[in-house]
């Protein structure tokens, strides 16, 4: 039975500074023998008895190394996205710098050393929302880096669709970009050496998957099946234009279908790669998820409970959390569900025994641990060389100054409105008026802002200088600035959609351009949180019957993030890239002598 829409709408890109890769962390979780699957309990008991008496001939060891939500973090990520929290035995914590593909490659290679049967996998969002070093080149650098790292299998995530399904297929198959071409005359993009799995992404007309639904890895005579799915609600968080004609199916139902197909082909050992996740009770990557009784919450719990007991482990992602937890399968028996945070700060090591007689994994043998990708280990030279190649190509573009700021202009996730959000909305309004002078306001989704504009120099450009590379990382999605006509009634409905329907549990407050104001009363519930008679457009009360010319990015124009009313706009116009609008605004409104100050973020009055 498909999961209700309410369940999957509760989770979006919650980015938390949690645990990631190879520094030690012994929060390994194994499954108690008493909870072995009923259908496999006798087989497992036999395998355990044989191991106890030294009879290991029919079992072999397997290793699965997993990452998720890498987001093209080739260079060591900064800020909270480049640290993990380590919990000491006395309960105290410390932050550890982690990540960077040069260190990730070294860590994975060390982990594989001496392992006869090892496979490296990922649970989505390897590309998309990436730093400029990768994003400027349509993430070709990340695909090439993953090839060198030794990636074997990747399950698709929502961000793999940021540039549309056709571009995803190019990343799999290779070839020059249809618009930008190849980036060097002597170098052709060859695509991913590994399969990108998309079992629950199907063509509406043919019902066939966009990409392979699963793959079977033959590890020296041991066959293990991997099934990859993304969250069913992907259409709600990516641009609709790029996924036209595709349908996203229920995660558990899809995995169950292909688990049965694999079994018919004689493949009983199955691991699911699911780009949907949950939330542990602690932000420490080495916290024992099951010890405090709180376990795991979030959408993945329901998916795990409905996923066929024939699946031996679930590697998950999307929420950027770090956990190794157990969740009961449909037969009530515990099964590991893991996630390794984001940005390549962690990798998850899963170890298990494979029974040659049953051709299956011994469930009670499955163990998991998140390990930190620390930066004290040597860098992988081949990855350093790769980064250097792309960095040289990107340098002239990335280091170009485009504006000046007098202070940090960022986001405070604890308040609905942010200075950075106001700045971006203002830039889109200014650009939109070059297309249509009658444009009156702009609205921007906060999830489209990925980092802050920081006053302190990141290189040798000088304090307060904003480079193109820094602006790129604020808005890496390549959305366009669009125009549409919306009535006052539709505008009010859009404001209400911020705090009702799919967004009621986790409000998404749009960032607003100068001249658009209203009151948000958080003491109320649902749509009533928007005080209808407080809405003003350039000082005038919102007229429900009047038509307004509104600017928004292409993601919102397609109804993304739970705002279907945007898609009802009429007289649409598609403009240029949103980050180009930001560049033009910074260049036109700042100088070294007169740097731009942070907006006051006082356009939305919040009552708590």
């Amino acid at each position: 039975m498909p999961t209700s829409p309410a369940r999957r709408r509760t989770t979006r890109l919650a980015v938390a500074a949690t645990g990631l890769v190879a520094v030690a962390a012994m929060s390994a979780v194994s499954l108690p023998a008493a909870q072995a699957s009923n259908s496999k309990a006798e087989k497992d008991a036999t395998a355990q008895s044989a191991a106890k008496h030294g009879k290991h001939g029919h079992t072999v060891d397997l290793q699965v190394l997993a990452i998720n939500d890498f987001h093209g973090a080739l260079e060591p990520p900064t800020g909270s996205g480049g640290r993990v929290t380590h919990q000491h035995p006395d309960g105290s914590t410390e932050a550890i710098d982690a990540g960077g593909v040069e260190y990730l490659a070294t860590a994975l290679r060390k982990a594989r050393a001496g392992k006869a049967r090892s496979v490296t996998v990922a649970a989505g969002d390897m590309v998309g929302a990436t730093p400029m070093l990768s994003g400027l080149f349509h993430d070709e650098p990340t695909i090439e880096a993953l090839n060198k790292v030794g990636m074997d299998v990747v399950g698709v995530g929502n961000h793999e669709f940021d540039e549309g399904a056709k571009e995803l297929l190019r990343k799999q198959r290779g070839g020059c970009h249809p618009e930008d071409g190849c980036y060097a005359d002597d170098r052709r993009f060859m695509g991913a050496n590994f399969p990108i799995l998309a079992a629950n992404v199907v063509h509406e007309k043919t019902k066939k998957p966009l990409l392979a639904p699963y793959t079977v890895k033959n590890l020296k005579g041991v066959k293990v099946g991997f099934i990859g799915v993304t969250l069913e609600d992907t259409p709600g968080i990516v641009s609709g234009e790029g996924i036209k004609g595709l349908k996203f199916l229920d995660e558990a139902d899809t995995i169950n279908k292909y688990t049965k197909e694999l079994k018919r082909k004689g493949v009983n050992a199955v691991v699911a790669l699911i780009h949907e996740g949950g939330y542990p009770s602690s932000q420490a990557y080495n916290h024992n998820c099951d010890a405090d009784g709180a376990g795991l919450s979030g959408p993945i719990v329901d998916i795990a409970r409905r996923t066929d007991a024939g699946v031996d482990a679930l590697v998950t992602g999307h929420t950027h959390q770090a956990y190794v937890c157990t969740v009961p399968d449909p037969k009530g028996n515990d099964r590991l569900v893991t996630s390794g945070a984001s940005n390549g700060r962690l990798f998850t090591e899963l170890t298990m025994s494979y029974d040659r007689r049953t051709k299956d994994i011994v469930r009670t043998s499955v163990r998991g641990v998140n390990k930190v990708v620390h930066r004290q280990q040597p860098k992988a030279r081949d990855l350093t060389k790769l980064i250097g190649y792309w960095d040289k190509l990107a340098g002239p573009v990335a280091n170009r100054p485009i504006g000046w700021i007098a202070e940090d202009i960022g986001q405070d996730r604890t308040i609905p409105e942010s200075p950075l959000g106001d700045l971006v909305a203002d830039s889109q309004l200014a650009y939109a008026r070059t297309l249509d002078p009658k444009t009156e306001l702009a609205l921007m989704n906060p999830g489209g802002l990925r980092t802050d504009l920081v006053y302190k120099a990141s290189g040798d450009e000088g304090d307060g200088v904003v480079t193109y590379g820094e602006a790129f990382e604020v808005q890496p999605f390549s959305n366009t600035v669009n125009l549409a006509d919306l009535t006052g009634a539709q505008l009010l409905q859009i404001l209400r959609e911020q705090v009702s329907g799919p967004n009621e549990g986790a409000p998404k407050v749009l960032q607003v351009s100068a001249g658009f104001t209203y009151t948000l009363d958080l003491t109320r519930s649902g749509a009533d949180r928007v005080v209808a008679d407080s809405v003003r457009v350039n000082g005038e009360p919102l007229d429900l019957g009047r038509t307004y010319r509104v600017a928004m990015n292409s993601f919102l124009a397609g109804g993304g993030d739970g705002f279907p009313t945007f898609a009802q706009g009429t007289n649409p116009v598609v403009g240029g890239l949103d980050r180009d609008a930001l560049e033009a605004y910074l260049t036109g409104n700042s100088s070294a002598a007169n740097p731009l100050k942070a907006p006051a973020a006082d356009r939305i009055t919040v009552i708590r």
Side-chain angles (χ1 to χ4, degrees), residues 161 164-166 168-169 198 200-211 232 234-235 238-249:
F161 292 95
K166 289 183 179 179
L168 172 58
L169 292 175
N200 68 330
V201 185
V202 302
H203 295 281
E204 287 183 326
K205 291 183 178 179
T206 65
K207 310 303 180 185
K208 294 182 178 179
L210 174 70
L211 287 161
E232 183 183 6
T234 291
V238 301
S239 177
E241 185 66 26
I243 57 171
K244 276 186 177 180
L246 295 178
K247 187 174 183 180
F248 291 74
L249 308 178

Side-chain angles (χ1 to χ4, degrees), residues 492-540:
L492 180 59
Q493 177 59 24
I494 285 170
L495 295 181
R496 287 171 168 166
E497 286 168 355
Q498 300 175 114
V499 290
S500 64
N503 293 328
E504 183 166 3
K508 291 186 177 65
V509 178
L510 299 167
Q511 306 300 283
V512 299
S513 58
F516 189 73
T517 61
Y518 70 97
T519 297
L520 189 65
D521 187 349
L522 298 181
T523 66
R524 302 181 183 181
S525 61
D528 289 339
R529 293 174 178 173
V530 175
V531 181
D533 60 6
S534 72
V535 184
R536 298 286 186 274
V537 181
N538 297 319
E540 297 295 323

Side-chain angles (χ1 to χ4, degrees), residues 13 67-73 121-130 134 138-140 142-144 146 151 153-173 177 189 192 194-201 210-212 228-231 233-235 237-244 246 248 273-276 316-318 320 343 450 476-478 555:
L13 297 180
I67 64 171
N68 55 275
D69 298 273
F70 182 63
H71 290 293
V121 304
D125 279 8
M126 295 297 98
V127 298
T130 51
S134 182
H138 301 284
D139 288 321
E140 290 181 20
T142 294
I143 297 298
E144 292 185 351
L146 292 174
M151 187 60 63
V153 186
V154 168
V156 76
N158 56 284
H159 278 289
E160 270 79 15
F161 292 95
D162 281 351
E163 295 190 77
K166 289 183 179 179
E167 174 60 11
L168 172 58
L169 292 175
R170 187 183 76 90
K171 288 181 173 65
Q172 175 71 90
R173 300 166 182 171
H177 190 270
F189 176 58
F194 47 84
I196 302 173
L197 308 178
N200 68 330
V201 185
L210 174 70
L211 287 161
V229 298
T230 185
L231 67 156
D233 199 30
T234 291
I237 52 176
V238 301
S239 177
E241 185 66 26
I243 57 171
K244 276 186 177 180
L246 295 178
F248 291 74
L273 309 176
I274 308 174
H275 191 70
E276 180 60 291
T316 73
H318 189 55
H320 292 198
N343 295 344
R450 303 301 288 190
F477 295 107
S478 297
F555 172 63

Side-chain angles (χ1 to χ4, degrees), residues 26 28 62-66 110-112 115 118 324 336 338 347-352 367-371:
M26 293 299 116
L62 301 182
Q63 179 194 62
V64 177
L65 303 178
K110 286 181 178 178
R112 295 186 199 113
K115 304 296 190 300
S118 179
V324 178
L336 279 191
T338 72
F347 70 90
T348 309
E349 181 181 31
L350 290 164
T351 58
M352 60 204 75
R367 296 173 179 268
V369 58
N370 275 330
K371 296 186 173 182

Side-chain angles (χ1 to χ4, degrees), residues 214-275:
Y214 62 82
T215 189
V216 177
K217 302 299 292 185
N218 191 329
L219 307 173
K220 295 187 175 181
V222 170
K223 293 183 178 180
V224 182
F226 293 88
I227 304 169
V229 298
T230 185
L231 67 156
E232 183 183 6
D233 199 30
T234 291
I237 52 176
V238 301
S239 177
E241 185 66 26
I243 57 171
K244 276 186 177 180
L246 295 178
K247 187 174 183 180
F248 291 74
L249 308 178
D250 180 86
E251 305 95 335
D253 290 348
T254 302
I255 295 169
N256 294 348
K257 170 186 174 180
Y258 289 110
T259 300
K260 291 179 174 62
E261 183 171 316
L262 284 166
K263 188 172 183 178
R264 289 196 296 271
K265 293 182 176 182
V267 180
N268 298 327
V270 179
V271 175
L273 309 176
I274 308 174
H275 191 70

Side-chain angles (χ1 to χ4, degrees), residues 320-339:
H320 292 198
Q321 303 293 303
Y323 50 80
V324 178
C325 301
T326 59
V327 176
D329 66 18
K331 295 184 177 181
N333 304 300
D334 280 349
R335 174 171 54 192
L336 279 191
V337 179
T338 72
S339 175

